Amino acid sequence: MIDDLPIREDLKGKTPYGAPQIDVPVRLNTNENSYALPDEVVEAIGKAVQAELRDLNRYPDRNAVALRTDLADYLGHGLTVANVWAANGSNEVQQQLLQTFGGPGRTALGFGPSYSMHPLLAQGTGTRWVGALRDPDFGINPDKAAEEIRRHDPDVVFLCSPNNPTGTALDPEVITAVLGAAKGIVLVDEAYFEFARPGTPSALTLLGRHRRLVVTRTMSKAFGFAGGRLGYFAADPDVVDAVQLVRLPYHLSSLTQAAARAALAQRTALLATVDAIKQQRDRIVSTLRERGLRVADSDANFVLFEVGGDQKGDQKDQKEVWQRMLDRGVLIRDVGLQGWLRVTAGTPAETDAFLEAMA
């Protein structure tokens, strides 16, 4: 047992983060893009990676300048290479931010239920975690959020929009209120932003006015690039420079950089599936509500729904329902929220299978 080893006391008894990886006909538990990459994108990525193979004896560009330039171009909002940093998934980006602005003797605060990796990243970097709560409808009241910030005075604040696992997008007033109250870094996790409904503003619009605001994104979801492992953030150039103090040398391989740049160049083809996924998300929401279930509003590629109970209104154990769905060949996610389960919006056929199994 690892607890017999001289590991840190705060890690004893813990288990690694990870969703079940089970071979089933319908896998809708990790918010992946269900659509395979189009042939033209596969060909473009293949050529880009092939071009790098001859020089694998050399280290990659440790600053990933070309990739960051392409990411800035994709984000727009007047951003340049100086505003963007990239790493192996948005989890590594957020870990680097905590290594830089958190750490022993410092505090990070988030509003739950939210992405379960945030407190784990805080623990891994020796940062004390404070868990504030969202409202019953999974929103965040701006005044209450500012009050929590003033009470705990965190060094890093985590906001998630659209929020995982609820799918809730934040009102810009919430971000503004938190920025006004926080003395430290305010990190807005926008991993699912490409799936937001029209008119939903991004925190990127606030970057020019707030030096301590950081917006993190990923190519894992809308781009269907989960296996490529590419996350990034946009922030003031000084924040980008500060993160260089903790980044590992040559952390992004030449192959990762080449594949990500090729994918960005093919973004029209890759993002063509976003509208189709949003249609299935909205279909899941409306169908489950028609069946009498409580469902959270979603601006992401997943749906959080409450498990129905008996005539007395008692909730069923979500673990029981999760297992019954798995028995029917449909893998969804138990996020540990009592009485609720989460399902990824996939292809029409996958949605059919999910709704049929739920029935």
Side-chain angles (χ1 to χ4, degrees):
M1 295 181 59
I2 64 172
D3 285 354
D4 296 332
L5 298 172
I7 64 174
R8 286 165 27 189
E9 289 296 325
D10 62 325
L11 295 181
K12 290 184 176 180
K14 302 290 184 180
T15 56
Y17 172 88
Q21 291 184 311
I22 304 172
D23 186 14
V24 294
V26 181
R27 190 169 64 185
L28 299 172
N29 69 324
T30 53
N31 302 337
E32 297 161 318
N33 188 320
S34 292
Y35 292 90
L37 271 60
D39 291 342
E40 64 268 29
V41 178
V42 172
E43 183 178 354
I45 292 177
K47 288 181 178 179
V49 170
Q50 180 72 29
E52 296 294 326
L53 297 181
R54 184 71 63 184
D55 294 325
L56 285 185
N57 59 311
R58 301 295 184 184
Y59 285 115
D61 175 10
R62 65 171 173 262
N63 292 321
V65 172
L67 172 59
R68 289 162 56 204
T69 300
D70 291 349
L71 288 167
D73 176 70
Y74 166 67
L75 290 176
H77 296 280
L79 299 173
T80 71
V81 62
N83 297 105
V84 177
W85 181 247
N88 294 284
S90 57
N91 286 337
E92 184 178 34
V93 162
Q94 292 167 4
Q95 177 177 271
Q96 290 175 340
L97 288 162
L98 282 169
Q99 288 174 316
T100 307
F101 300 104
R106 296 195 170 197
T107 301
L109 180 147
F111 296 85
S114 192
Y115 185 33
S116 57
M117 270 302 298
H118 292 160
L120 294 177
L121 290 169
Q123 181 181 45
T125 57
T127 309
R128 186 174 73 91
W129 179 260
V130 174
L133 294 176
R134 287 175 169 255
D135 298 333
D137 64 354
F138 303 127
I140 299 177
N141 179 279
D143 295 332
K144 292 181 179 178
E147 182 181 342
E148 291 283 359
I149 301 301
R150 287 189 288 268
R151 177 184 303 141
H152 298 285
D153 192 24
D155 300 280
V156 181
V157 179
F158 280 84
L159 298 174
C160 196
S161 181
N163 185 50
N164 181 10
T166 66
T168 317
L170 286 179
D171 188 313
E173 291 184 8
V174 175
I175 302 174
T176 301
V178 170
L179 286 166
K183 298 177 183 177
I185 293 293
V186 176
L187 190 162
V188 182
D189 185 338
E190 289 191 346
Y192 299 93
F193 185 79
E194 284 89 349
F195 298 103
R197 285 170 286 186
T200 304
S202 168
L204 292 172
T205 60
L206 303 174
L207 276 179
R209 303 192 300 274
H210 297 280
R211 186 165 177 254
R212 297 186 178 185
L213 171 64
V214 180
V215 182
T216 66
R217 292 279 189 97
T218 182
M219 291 182 67
S220 294
K221 310 302 181 183
F223 277 85
F225 200 68
R229 308 306 302 130
L230 198 291
Y232 55 102
F233 73 72
D236 184 273
D238 287 343
V239 174
V240 175
D241 289 343
V243 168
Q244 311 307 305
L245 300 174
V246 301
R247 62 107 174 98
L248 295 173
Y250 316 112
H251 68 294
L252 274 177
S253 76
S254 299
L255 304 183
T256 297
Q257 293 183 46
R261 292 192 67 203
L264 284 166
Q266 296 286 328
R267 57 180 173 264
T268 300
L270 284 172
L271 296 178
T273 63
V274 168
D275 284 342
I277 292 170
K278 290 163 68 174
Q279 289 174 7
Q280 296 309 307
R281 172 199 67 199
D282 295 341
R283 178 186 168 202
I284 293 170
V285 171
S286 61
T287 303
L288 293 183
R289 284 177 175 171
E290 288 170 359
R291 295 179 181 180
L293 294 181
R294 183 183 174 198
V295 183
D297 290 333
S298 178
D299 276 282
N301 69 331
F302 55 82
V303 176
L304 185 76
F305 60 96
E306 192 172 27
V307 176
D310 57 24
Q311 292 181 350
K312 298 179 182 179
D314 295 330
Q315 288 180 336
K316 292 180 181 177
D317 184 353
Q318 80 275 8
K319 297 182 185 300
E320 175 190 352
V321 180
W322 178 88
Q323 183 61 54
R324 289 187 177 187
M325 293 292 288
L326 183 62
D327 293 342
R328 287 160 176 78
V330 180
L331 178 62
I332 58 178
R333 187 70 179 269
D334 178 1
V335 295
L337 188 60
Q338 180 62 41
W340 295 77
L341 290 168
R342 191 192 72 194
V343 59
T344 304
T347 65
E350 288 173 333
T351 300
D352 290 343
F354 164 73
L355 292 174
E356 181 178 347
M358 277 296 295

